[in-house]
Amino acid sequence: MRPNAPGDWDRRKLLFAGAAATAASGLGAGRAYAAANAKGPPGSVLYDVPEDSTKVMGRGVHEDGGYGTRSQFETEVRVKADNPSDVTSWTFTPLASTIGNLTPSGLHFERHHGGIPVIDPARHELFLHGLVDVPKKFALADLKSLPSITRKYFIECSGNTLSEWSKPKGTSVQFTHGLLSTSEWTGVPFATLARAVGLKETSAWVLAEGGDAAVMTRSIPIEKMLSDALIVYGQNGEALRPEQGYPLRLVLPGYEGNTQIKWLRRLQVSDRPFMTREETSAYTDLMKDGRAKLYTLAMDAKSVITFPSGEMMLPKPGHYMIQGFAWTGRGRVQAVDISLDKGKTWLPARIDNVPEPMCTVRFSFPWHWDGGPVVLQSRCIDETGYVQPTRDQLIPLRGENAIYHYNAIQSWAIAADGSVKNVHV
């Protein structure tokens, strides 16, 4: 290779300068557009869209400040409940729009009773006391220094699908089943902390208390706490989101969401349940005879078809892939069935990911729609042999006075024009 001639270097400098100017111009325009139009879909930044992305330099590395944004063309968001107070409200996960089996942290459903607190992790401690040999306080740094585990678990609000007890009210799957999300959680097993403090022989229950304005408290059986309870500080590869309990929360695989205390600050060991506000005046199951059932904590097997589902429109007859989620709080999902005839016959669906304990699975089923009216249903069978019930099976057992733990089979009716509606059959 010959040495560079004097003119070669000058030409290279000119070419590089021209390219750099073009890039700077494109990036500058992108920045200016973003600054003038800061409000795109939540989690995104608006940028000018070139006619041909191969003809203009893209924006520079690290222009997002070091924490990525999603595309401005992605618009999925949680939807807030129609509730008079935003501090005692909830949001629904867009189940029909999520990809794969994990819920993005920013789309995980919320339920708050006293707003979302702002907590400095450097000042936050977890106090473990009561029927223990040596009460201890654990700073966040103490917990992070202990051996951790990472597991995928769903969390479902016990009020998920509460609108469906008497008649079909939810218009979309986001409103009927959107108080369900699945994340990968990282934290320290409660059993590790229990060994550090020593439990008394009479230990039977643990009170978990949160650091929010509601001072949320729930009683948890000691067997559950020692079995698989996690003191969690990580979610989907990063720290917990504030709305998910930053800096610490309790995760109880398979238990109703209300027990999985966020902003966790205290665990008190006792020989009996504490009968707190949230487990006496609320989060009990009012039976058909008027009596209230306490501590129905595990979530039963459940499933829902997310495509096609309410408010959707099938454009024409043809081949479609039915898709949905199934889950159980009592172990692994064993199988999922699909019915195309209001439950008269059932066909096996494909489970698209490896079933894990207390974790959702994705299911799918290839289907040809002939253009006629049809009702689609799914049912979950878990590894205990439990089969998700029909409404006709559930209502005689529970009545219609209940609010929580509705897990009857969901039905979607498809009309001849392709519209999809929530129905009871």
Side-chain angles (χ1 to χ4, degrees), residues 380-407:
C380 175
I381 301 95
D382 69 23
E383 63 181 353
T384 71
Y386 178 90
V387 180
Q388 183 182 359
T390 64
R391 278 186 54 79
D392 288 343
Q393 293 169 331
L394 182 67
I395 298 301
L397 292 174
R398 301 280 305 281
E400 296 184 15
N401 297 323
I403 298 175
Y404 309 109
H405 301 107
Y406 181 91
N407 73 316

Side-chain angles (χ1 to χ4, degrees), residues 25-230:
S25 174
L27 293 173
R31 281 193 291 267
Y33 192 86
N37 300 271
K39 289 190 177 179
S44 71
V45 174
L46 288 179
Y47 291 97
D48 199 3
V49 182
E51 290 294 326
D52 185 347
S53 62
T54 68
K55 303 300 184 184
V56 61
M57 296 294 287
R59 69 179 184 271
V61 174
H62 215 263
E63 280 206 3
D64 56 19
Y67 194 88
T69 57
R70 66 174 180 171
S71 168
Q72 67 200 61
F73 303 103
E74 298 300 317
T75 59
E76 296 82 8
V77 293
R78 292 166 298 177
V79 175
K80 189 174 74 70
D82 184 13
N83 207 43
S85 171
D86 286 346
V87 296
T88 58
S89 192
W90 55 95
T91 63
F92 300 90
T93 292
L95 292 178
S97 303
T98 55
I99 299 170
N101 194 43
L102 291 181
T103 307
S105 297
L107 294 179
H108 194 291
F109 84 88
E110 303 168 84
R111 175 67 170 106
H112 308 302
H113 294 77
I116 304 168
V118 178
I119 297 176
D120 182 351
R123 296 166 49 196
H124 190 73
E125 292 181 317
L126 173 62
F127 186 31
L128 178 51
H129 67 118
L131 293 179
V132 300
D133 295 330
V134 183
K136 286 189 177 184
K137 289 184 178 180
F138 299 87
L140 186 60
D142 298 328
L143 295 170
K144 288 185 174 181
S145 70
L146 296 172
S148 67
I149 63 173
T150 298
R151 298 287 187 273
K152 299 183 186 74
Y153 296 124
F154 76 83
I155 295 181
E156 182 184 16
C157 178
S158 56
N160 200 23
T161 329
L162 64 82
S163 63
E164 303 305 301
W165 275 107
S166 58
K167 60 183 180 179
K169 295 179 181 178
T171 56
S172 72
V173 71
Q174 185 165 13
F175 284 107
T176 59
H177 290 75
L179 297 180
L180 165 79
S181 300
T182 300
S183 287
E184 183 179 77
W185 307 99
T186 298
V188 179
F190 170 78
T192 300
L193 305 187
R195 284 192 291 270
V197 299
L199 299 179
K200 301 290 188 182
E201 288 187 6
T202 53
S203 299
W205 291 80
V206 176
L207 179 77
E209 180 182 272
D212 59 335
V215 192
M216 181 61 63
T217 48
R218 286 300 304 267
S219 302
I220 314 298
I222 192 70
E223 293 85 357
K224 179 64 176 176
M225 295 293 292
L226 293 173
S227 172
D228 55 9
L230 282 180

